[in-house]
Amino acid sequence: GQIEGLFCACTEETERVRAEAERDRLMREAQETVRHLRTWFDNAPGFVALLRGPDFVFEMANKAYYQLVGHRPIEGLSVWEALPEVREQGFREILDRVYTTGVPFVGRAMPLAVQKEPGGPVTNAFVDLVYQPVLDSEGTVVGIFAQGHDVTEQVNAAASLKDADRRKDEFLAT
């Protein structure tokens, strides 16, 4: 009736605890990297957006893109839902071609009629842009990376210079 011994059942958990600590460290590093990349993305000097799938749904857009399109909510919406005024301006055909062929598109001083203020009028702008296909691990196009700059001021300045030069030639001719 006396206690003759003690049975203690235990399992070795050191590796599991180390693995969990390593997982937590890697998660913190990944989250910090995502924060850094998002900061760089948001502060890129030109407009940048990531369009997902054949419907071109805005997955991400930076501050410059929001400025270009009047600070409207666009993430989670297709380009055509978010920016109905651009539907008939030829961008659909360009995006479809990039998505189906996987060949990037580069446009210079492309005219763009866009609503630059919420509820405001549609105004004319000019943009330099690149539509770069985004590929998955098998090489299939899954989206489009859109990047560019608003070059409206430069285009208007060049047109003013050209007009002034034309008027000077007319003056000299008379």
Side-chain angles (χ1 to χ4, degrees), residues 11-111:
T11 57
E12 178 59 43
E13 297 287 318
T14 304
E15 286 305 312
R16 183 187 62 78
V17 170
R18 284 183 183 156
E20 287 176 359
E22 179 67 5
R23 180 201 63 209
D24 293 345
R25 184 187 68 75
L26 291 171
M27 286 296 293
R28 282 190 304 276
E29 284 181 12
Q31 290 167 345
E32 186 63 25
T33 299
V34 166
R35 277 192 291 277
H36 283 303
L37 290 174
R38 185 64 196 212
T39 298
W40 293 345
F41 181 85
D42 281 340
N43 293 299
F47 61 81
V48 181
L50 184 58
L51 308 173
R52 180 178 17 92
D55 294 327
F56 312 116
V57 174
F58 281 100
E59 193 164 302
M60 296 173 71
N62 72 347
K63 293 175 187 176
Y65 204 100
Y66 278 101
Q67 184 177 1
L68 177 70
V69 300
H71 301 282
R72 297 179 259 182
I74 58 175
E75 289 186 21
L77 300 174
S78 76
V79 170
W80 321 121
E81 293 170 314
L83 309 172
E85 70 272 21
V86 303
R87 181 180 291 267
E88 302 302 324
Q89 295 183 45
F91 293 97
R92 177 177 216 107
E93 293 78 11
I94 296 168
L95 288 168
D96 284 340
R97 189 172 343 118
V98 171
Y99 194 85
T100 57
T101 66
V103 176
F105 173 82
V106 177
R108 300 280 180 229
M110 295 188 64

Side-chain angles (χ1 to χ4, degrees), residues 81-153:
E81 293 170 314
L83 309 172
E85 70 272 21
V86 303
R87 181 180 291 267
E88 302 302 324
Q89 295 183 45
F91 293 97
R92 177 177 216 107
E93 293 78 11
I94 296 168
L95 288 168
D96 284 340
R97 189 172 343 118
V98 171
Y99 194 85
T100 57
T101 66
V103 176
F105 173 82
V106 177
R108 300 280 180 229
M110 295 188 64
L112 170 68
V114 67
Q115 188 180 27
K116 288 192 166 199
E117 297 176 15
V122 173
T123 59
N124 293 320
F126 293 91
V127 293
D128 285 351
L129 61 84
V130 175
Y131 289 150
Q132 179 71 39
V134 176
L135 309 176
D136 65 10
S137 60
E138 283 128 32
T140 304
V141 177
V142 294
I144 294 177
F145 183 78
Q147 184 274 325
H149 297 277
D150 185 343
V151 294
T152 305
E153 289 181 17

